[in-house]
Each structure stands twice: as C-alpha cells, then as structure tokens.
Amino acid sequence: MTTTTTSWTAANSRKLARRERKRRLGPLGVLTHLALVIWTLLVMVPILWTFLASVKSEDEIFGDAWSLPATLRWDNFARAWEQASIGQYMLNSVIVVSISTFGTMLVGSMAAYVLARYPFRGNRAIYLLFVSGLAFPVYLALTPLFFVVQNMGRLPLIGPFIGLNTHAGLILVYIAYSMPFTVFFLSAFFRTLPTAVGEAAMVDGASHTRVFFQIMLPMAKPGIISITIFNILGQWNQYQLPLVLLQDRTKWVLPMGIADISTAAGYDQDWSALFAALTLAILPMLIVYTIFQRQIQSGLTSGALK
C-alpha cells in the first residue's frame, strides 16, 4: 500500500512539474523550443551524414544515404591525409590560426581595455572606427588587400616575410580582420568589471601595464575565452583571404586543401577522401567547442549579469 501511494505521489508530482513548465513557457516559449529543435536538426544532420560518408565507399555514398557501410573504410582518411596533403594543410592551419589568434587577443584586449577604461579625446571616434569594421564585408576589400600585402612584400628586410605567399602576411591580415569584433565584444565586457581593485593596485604602486595583465585580464577570463573560441572558429574556416594571398600550394591552409579535393573529385570521383577531409576539418573545432562550452556560455552571459 505504501509503495502504491509513493508511486502515485511521484506521478502526480511529475505531472504538476510538466504543467508548471508549460505554463511558464507559454506559446512563445514553445515556439522558441521548436525553432531550436529544428535548427539543431538542420545543423546536426549534415554533420552526421558527413561523418558516416567518410567511412563509406563511393558506391555506398551514392546509394542509400543513411545505410551503414559494409566495411569501415579507414583508408579514406589515409588517402586524404597523405595523397591529398591534408596533413600538411592542417599543420599550416594550426600554425596560422594559433599565432593569429594569440596576436588578435593580445592587441584586441589591450585596445578594448584602453577604450573602455580610459577617457581621452577621440576615444569614441576610435571605438566607432573599430565597430564600423563589423559592417564592412571582407569581399569588398579582397582586391585592394591583395595590393596592400603585395606592397608590404617590397619593404626592406622584413618584406619577404610578410608579403604574398607568406604565412606571416596572412596572419597579419587575420589579426586585422578579427579586430573589430574582438574590440567591440571585449570593450563592453571590460566596462562591467569593478574599478576598485585596479585603483587599489595603482595606489600601491602598480603600473598601468601590471594592472592590466595581472588584475584586469584574469578578471575578464570568461570573456577572453569566449571571444578566443569565436576567433579560432572564424579563422579556421576562412577561405577567401588565404585563397587571394597564398598561391604557393605548399603553404595552403585546410579550407583550400578541401576545396582542391572537391575540384579534383569532379574528375577523379574521389568523394570518399573529400568527406574524410571534411571530417578531419570539423573534428578539431567540434572538440574545442565541446571542451570550452561552459566557459563560452559564462562569458556571453556574465557581462549581462554584472
């Protein structure tokens, strides 16, 4: 009798909880959740199909789309890694994105901190200049950008290292390309941080540089992590900029290598290697986002909660 009563009470509690959730959500909340479910399916279904196609033969890829492969074709990855040089392109991407992200966060965080915490003449104009870069499509700048980087290559001493067909030149462009969003995001975040700690450190004799690197930067860690991940994702998937600035095949980055496989697949029909290469490009970013998911969410919400 006691067991039956307990089960009945638990069932009623669950029903009441469901009703309360529905009441709180309302029609708009239900539509929001439905839109999120549809968006999740639109994103996840192509990714899952790509992973599945990466271990199939070409006949299986063009057969039943969701059928399981008779044999897992791991040689697709070996062919993409070695014959299509995906390993070299991935290494190039890792080097370029690592250095450019570090440079973006270093310069961007310092610029955002100064614009957010130090009033001076022209502060607002400089901030608006950075923000205006968000509204400027990179496609419009490809031709003049090509000539700018080409002219940089003519500079004495450092020219050969930062001109066309150099990773350093591409890194500088990536940093400039990522600065508007980085400054816009971090300046808003730095404004939410308390000033008392920094002022106390300066009273004790700390310099502005020390206050920034040892006090303010650690306090802004959630925002720093969030914008770092966004910059990594954006630079990792960038295709137009390296396509214009890198003609040397040995210096290509990963998106260019995948596009090359896609072009060759039109003649050689090596679709299995193409999907294997796509999987190799997706997995690192998926792992990074999964590991830092909580930090990204906390960074996006902490500024609003303070």
Side-chain angles (χ1 to χ4, degrees):
M1 183 66 178
T2 304
T3 304
T4 304
T5 303
T6 304
S7 301
W8 181 81
T9 304
N12 280 343
S13 299
R14 287 194 294 270
K15 289 181 180 179
L16 290 174
R18 284 196 296 270
R19 289 176 184 173
E20 181 63 20
R21 283 197 299 269
K22 289 181 180 179
R23 187 186 67 79
R24 288 200 306 265
L25 284 174
L28 183 59
V30 173
L31 290 176
T32 301
H33 280 70
L34 181 61
L36 289 174
V37 170
I38 295 173
W39 177 256
T40 302
L41 292 175
L42 290 175
V43 173
M44 290 303 300
V45 168
I47 292 177
L48 292 176
W49 188 83
T50 300
F51 290 168
L52 184 62
S54 68
V55 292
K56 284 184 175 183
S57 65
E58 292 176 5
D59 293 336
E60 291 172 332
I61 290 174
F62 291 99
D64 187 358
W66 291 102
S67 63
L68 296 176
T71 304
L72 297 179
R73 306 274 182 162
W74 299 113
D75 59 302
N76 296 338
F77 290 90
R79 196 163 60 254
W81 187 269
E82 297 174 1
Q83 297 181 12
S85 302
I86 290 298
Q88 179 63 45
Y89 301 148
M90 181 174 286
L91 178 62
N92 292 342
S93 287
V94 169
I95 293 173
V96 170
V97 172
S98 298
I99 299 175
S100 62
T101 302
F102 176 79
T104 300
M105 296 311 301
L106 178 63
V107 179
S109 61
M110 289 191 293
Y113 176 72
V114 171
L115 292 174
R117 307 304 288 263
Y118 291 90
F120 57 90
R121 182 176 298 179
N123 181 304
R124 190 65 179 175
I126 296 174
Y127 174 77
L128 292 176
L129 185 63
F130 275 112
V131 174
S132 64
L134 295 172
F136 190 81
V138 67
Y139 312 102
L140 296 179
L142 290 178
T143 301
L145 185 63
F146 174 85
F147 290 108
V148 168
V149 178
Q150 186 181 56
N151 292 332
M152 287 170 53
R154 297 170 182 167
L155 294 174
L157 299 179
I158 62 172
F161 303 100
I162 59 174
L164 293 175
N165 284 321
T166 64
H167 286 158
L170 182 62
I171 288 169
L172 292 176
V173 172
Y174 274 3
I175 292 174
Y177 168 78
S178 304
M179 283 292 287
F181 180 66
T182 302
V183 172
F184 170 74
F185 185 95
L186 289 181
S187 60
F189 195 89
F190 278 122
R191 291 191 187 101
T192 65
L193 299 180
T195 59
V197 180
E199 291 174 352
M202 294 186 69
V203 169
D204 290 338
S207 63
H208 293 284
T209 304
R210 186 175 179 182
V211 169
F212 172 70
F213 282 104
Q214 295 188 358
I215 298 175
M216 290 301 177
L217 204 59
M219 291 174 65
K221 182 179 177 181
I224 295 292
I225 292 177
S226 298
I227 196 63
T228 298
I229 299 301
F230 284 127
N231 281 328
I232 290 174
L233 293 174
Q235 295 174 10
W236 182 267
N237 296 319
Q238 182 58 241
Y239 175 70
Q240 289 84 6
L241 291 176
L243 180 65
V244 172
L245 301 178
L246 298 177
Q247 286 82 40
D248 188 350
R249 192 184 185 91
T250 61
K251 297 184 178 180
W252 281 5
V253 292
L254 190 57
M256 300 174 69
I258 294 174
D260 183 64
I261 297 176
S262 178
T263 303
Y267 305 97
D268 299 337
Q269 301 296 320
D270 197 358
W271 296 98
S272 301
L274 172 63
F275 288 111
L278 285 172
T279 300
L280 291 173
I282 293 171
L283 282 177
M285 296 300 99
L286 193 61
I287 293 171
V288 168
Y289 184 82
T290 302
I291 293 174
F292 295 101
Q293 181 180 3
R294 290 187 177 181
Q295 287 85 345
I296 294 173
Q297 293 174 350
S298 63
L300 292 176
T301 57
S302 58
L305 295 177
K306 290 185 179 181

